[in-house]
Amino acid sequence: MTVYFIGAGPGDPELLTLKAARLIGACPVCLYAGSLVPAEVVSCAPEGALVMDTAPMTLDETHAVIMEAHEKGQDVTRVHSGDPSLYGAIAEQIRRLKADGIDYQIIPGVPAYAAAAAALGTELTVPEVAQSIILTRMSMKSTGMPAGETLENFARSGATLAIHLGVRALREIERQLVPHYGAECPVAVVYRVGWSDQMIIRGTLTDVREKVRAAKITRTALILVGPALADSHGFPDSALYDAAKPHVLRPRVKA
């Protein structure tokens, strides 16, 4: 018996990996986080499978279902939004599985920041503008952040920031980031990326809060911040395809 932690992607059922779809379609037990994963994502579960929305359940309750399946020798798909390695809350589940001697595997999925960049039609790492992406979150009502993991510390790098759980903290985000990125730094707030009601709001650090407020977005949104989001940069072409710069797969300089 194996528990498969599956990254369902941001919401679009067509962004499931082939492996994820195959496992959901084969396992007799499917537990999915219904507050973040559309029911359509797990509609490929086999006929007669036990399919449960874990949104109203506790960790003890979901583990009890897994233990019951374990006793029956049934494999379980545990379906999470995005990629399970990012804010997937799988570490505490894995701890229990190990304690009970239950095998598990992790199947990666499309993370929200990648889906958001695709929806925006942009690259997050632009030559000589930004070559790093920092994935972080605001603490709000969730678990506190470790010491040193602050927006101000991250902002000093000038990297592209992908901020989770922050749509209700835009005033604080503005306060901490403007001194480092400037008031006119571009911001994109992507609401429920990959869902049928997806919404994209573009602005700057100083005006995006009012735009989000007008749109009445209060949850399930990813915030991207950084100069890479600007419409134009005047950046140089990447050296990767530069004819004057040979590399191991293109050793000769083309005339």
Side-chain angles (χ1 to χ4, degrees):
M1 180 267 184
T2 302
V3 174
Y4 296 97
F5 290 102
I6 289 179
D12 182 350
E14 292 187 330
L15 288 180
L16 272 176
T17 66
L18 293 174
K19 188 171 186 178
R22 175 176 63 79
L23 288 169
I24 294 173
C27 291
V29 179
C30 176
L31 306 177
Y32 75 103
S35 59
L36 296 171
V37 176
E40 291 80 7
V41 168
V42 296
S43 63
C44 57
E47 184 177 353
L50 174 63
V51 180
M52 298 183 68
D53 177 0
T54 60
M57 299 171 68
T58 66
L59 179 59
D60 286 341
E61 289 170 341
T62 59
H63 190 69
V65 174
I66 290 172
M67 288 299 297
E68 185 176 347
H70 177 61
E71 292 170 1
K72 296 177 181 178
Q74 296 177 325
D75 290 339
V76 176
T77 50
R78 182 70 175 97
V79 185
H80 289 260
S81 63
D83 181 85
S85 69
L86 296 173
Y87 311 118
I90 64 171
E92 58 264 42
Q93 297 179 69
I94 290 171
R95 180 165 57 194
R96 293 188 177 213
L97 295 178
K98 287 182 175 180
D100 290 325
I102 298 176
D103 290 335
Y104 70 91
Q105 291 184 28
I106 300 174
I107 314 302
V110 176
Y113 79 89
L120 290 167
T122 192
E123 182 175 356
L124 300 179
T125 53
V126 178
E128 297 186 8
V129 176
Q131 289 291 285
S132 300
I133 302 169
I134 295 175
L135 309 175
T136 188
R137 66 171 177 83
M138 302 297 287
S139 55
M140 300 298 288
K141 295 181 180 180
S142 57
T143 307
M145 297 291 285
E149 291 192 18
T150 66
L151 279 185
E152 290 178 312
N153 282 345
F154 295 144
R156 291 187 179 97
S157 70
T160 302
L161 303 182
I163 306 171
H164 297 73
L165 304 178
V167 75
R168 294 188 181 184
L170 284 169
R171 186 188 297 276
E172 180 62 15
I173 289 171
E174 175 187 348
R175 185 190 71 79
Q176 294 193 44
L177 297 188
V178 164
H180 302 280
Y181 287 91
E184 298 304 310
C185 180
V187 177
V189 176
V190 186
Y191 169 75
R192 283 166 64 98
V193 62
W195 292 62
S196 60
D197 57 350
Q198 171 183 298
M199 188 185 308
I200 295 174
I201 297 177
R202 288 180 178 268
T204 67
L205 277 172
T206 52
D207 70 14
V208 75
R209 181 168 57 88
E210 288 303 321
K211 293 180 179 181
V212 168
R213 182 179 179 183
K216 299 181 179 180
I217 295 174
T218 59
R219 61 187 298 271
T220 325
L222 178 69
I223 303 165
L224 296 174
V225 181
L229 299 176
D231 290 333
S232 61
H233 312 88
F235 61 90
D237 288 343
S238 169
L240 181 61
Y241 300 108
D242 190 337
K245 297 179 180 179
H247 54 68
V248 66
L249 298 179
R250 193 183 60 241
R252 290 186 177 182
V253 176
K254 294 185 178 181

